[in-house]
Amino acid sequence: MWFSGKRFRRTRCENIDELLAATNANEHIVRMLKVKAPVVCYTAVDGDTIKLDLDIDGKKILSHIFKLGEEQEMEKKDGNKVKMTYSLEGENTLKQVIKMPDGKTAYFVREFTDNDVKMTVTMDGTDLSATIYYDVVQ
């Protein structure tokens, strides 16, 4: 994972409002996505284990360790539990599948380049997709 340890800050979004509206997303999450520019970092722990850190305004709001290819349960701040599975395709594409408590599934595809990340988000039950762009933070 050549992008291990690099930090990426969100710079812009396309169609995020439409996707969030169509999926009845939690208002706190919507507000956070619209107002704050999160910084994400994926760090290889060992061969197939990765640590995700998410910071907003310099404060760590999430740290999660996951094993590629294994479904894991994670409790959200609102108490609901989601099931997530990550997979790595090639050297630059990290895929994530999140199964929500309501039975819907969200799909995240992160494509890493030397200087940025393009993340495409789709949800069951809608034809919409959103694209979120991140740049490397030095």
Side-chain angles (χ1 to χ4, degrees), residues 31-138:
R31 207 171 323 118
M32 182 180 75
L33 288 171
K34 288 183 176 185
V35 176
K36 307 288 184 176
V39 174
V40 296
C41 180
Y42 295 92
T43 306
V45 175
D46 64 32
D48 59 354
T49 303
I50 299 173
K51 180 181 179 190
L52 161 66
D53 289 311
L54 178 66
D55 299 348
I56 293 183
D57 293 336
K59 296 177 190 170
K60 189 171 291 185
I61 63 164
L62 175 70
S63 187
H64 180 68
I65 295 176
F66 57 90
K67 196 165 225 168
L68 294 170
E70 283 188 13
E71 185 174 77
Q72 292 185 321
E73 190 171 81
M74 185 172 113
E75 187 170 333
K76 299 181 343 179
K77 289 187 180 205
D78 63 5
N80 285 320
K81 293 181 181 180
V82 297
K83 293 184 179 185
M84 295 187 297
T85 306
Y86 285 85
S87 60
L88 188 61
E89 287 190 3
E91 285 293 313
N92 71 331
T93 303
L94 182 64
K95 293 188 172 187
Q96 177 185 20
V97 176
I98 301 177
K99 295 178 182 174
M100 308 292 184
D102 65 3
K104 290 186 179 178
T105 303
Y107 304 90
F108 297 78
V109 178
R110 295 167 179 88
E111 298 173 82
F112 293 85
T113 68
D114 289 337
N115 299 313
D116 59 17
V117 180
K118 175 184 171 185
M119 180 172 72
T120 305
V121 183
T122 56
M123 279 291 272
D124 280 349
T126 178
D127 292 337
L128 299 171
S129 69
T131 306
I132 303 169
Y133 298 90
Y134 297 80
D135 287 343
V136 170
V137 176
Q138 298 300 333

